[in-house]
Amino acid sequence: MTNYAALLSILLLASGCNAADQTSAGQAKPGAAPATAAAPTKCTSEPCGNTASGEDPQEVALRKANQARDALAASGTDQQRWVFPLFSDTTDPARLQMDVVKAAGFKMRLLPQKGHLVFERPGAVDTFEIAPKELKESTCPQYGVSVIAAGASYALIKKNCPLTEYKPNRYAMTSEYYLYDANSAVMRSVWAAHSGSKDEKFPAAKPAPTIKKVADGYQFSWAGIWPNDPAQKKVEIRNKYSWKANKAGKTELLCTDLTAPKDEALENEMCEGGILPLVSSVRK
């Protein structure tokens, strides 16, 4: 395990996340968000961990993980930064944003109080509604947003919602992947799995989906067993997302199922998935 992945495991443990829900890309099932303590926190349990300062061992681990995250944010590779999700219950503004592709000036920022996810590039800012502003009745009151793959003008994003009892004896867990395309200012859901039982495993995509940029858009691929499927039937998704101008002249991102006959492939059931509401799109 690489050093940054090991430190992510420390961060997950300290923030209440389950490391069993990690993939090889380091995508975390979100839990309590990291926060930097203003002063050392003394142990509240007996016996206390053997730390020189008498701090809670979890606080020590969390501080080290945050230091590693900050170091990677300053000088790490893009892929190393992607390991650390943005958590919706984080209060430190610095940990609610990241450089997605640093050389291109491509940044991502989460605004949990508004439920917005913002993508910024030189001369362009696109803002999407990734969660409802009012979360009291939501099945996903806390979530984490991760970058899985990206280029200068696109990103494959994952949103994880941990197990939540949103009503008495009513449970939900979700994992959803979105494709953000700067050219069309569109963010489409491209893979999603849900669970309504606290006894099921987290509905993670194993293996993680892949995205490839092509001349007229993107090719999305995934092959695996659908999470918690009792039949254990293998599913293959091969979709192409292409740019096309509509009658108004606006660029759209249309889906074609590459496994279907040509006359049945455009926006069929394999392409189902919501398009996130675009709050604003600014071009300077």
Side-chain angles (χ1 to χ4, degrees), residues 28-168:
K29 173 184 173 184
T36 304
T41 303
K42 299 297 182 180
C43 290
T44 57
S45 59
E46 293 292 343
C48 183
N50 294 321
T51 59
S53 63
E55 291 179 79
D56 188 313
Q58 285 194 349
E59 291 289 342
V60 175
L62 180 56
R63 185 174 65 252
K64 290 181 178 179
N66 281 337
Q67 289 170 350
R69 182 195 185 284
D70 293 343
L72 290 174
S75 59
T77 67
D78 293 333
Q79 289 78 7
Q80 286 175 332
R81 281 189 295 276
W82 298 347
V83 168
F84 291 88
L86 306 181
F87 292 101
S88 64
D89 53 357
T90 298
T91 56
D92 184 348
R95 296 197 173 98
L96 285 170
Q97 59 186 345
M98 71 162 65
D99 290 308
V100 178
V101 180
K102 195 168 187 177
F106 181 20
K107 304 174 184 290
M108 181 175 76
R109 185 160 43 101
L110 181 64
L111 305 176
Q113 292 79 12
K114 296 181 178 180
H116 293 173
L117 188 65
V118 182
F119 295 96
E120 302 180 36
R121 297 177 303 118
V125 180
D126 293 324
T127 302
F128 298 90
E129 183 182 300
I130 196 170
K133 185 176 180 179
E134 296 296 332
L135 293 173
K136 292 180 181 179
E137 300 299 323
S138 173
T139 59
C140 182
Q142 293 183 2
Y143 54 90
V145 177
S146 307
V147 177
I148 307 305
S153 59
Y154 74 94
L156 182 63
I157 302 296
K158 185 178 72 169
K159 177 186 177 185
N160 267 0
C161 302
L163 179 66
T164 299
E165 186 176 15
Y166 60 95
K167 290 182 180 179

Side-chain angles (χ1 to χ4, degrees), residues 126 128 181-187 242-254 275 278 281 283:
D126 293 324
F128 298 90
D181 170 51
N183 184 48
S184 59
V186 167
M187 195 169 182
S242 305
W243 300 305
K244 185 176 180 180
N246 61 21
K247 292 181 179 179
K250 185 181 185 303
T251 301
E252 296 181 334
L253 193 64
L254 298 182
I275 296 178
L278 179 64
S281 181
R283 299 292 184 268

Side-chain angles (χ1 to χ4, degrees), residues 199-228:
D199 299 318
E200 291 183 334
K201 293 181 179 179
F202 185 79
K206 296 180 180 180
T210 62
I211 195 81
K212 180 182 179 182
K213 199 169 189 298
V214 293
D216 58 345
Y218 311 90
Q219 188 165 317
F220 176 86
S221 303
W222 181 77
I225 297 172
W226 212 256
N228 299 310

Side-chain angles (χ1 to χ4, degrees), residues 226-237:
W226 212 256
N228 299 310
D229 177 15
Q232 294 290 285
K233 182 180 178 181
K234 191 171 183 179
V235 177
E236 182 181 12
I237 301 174

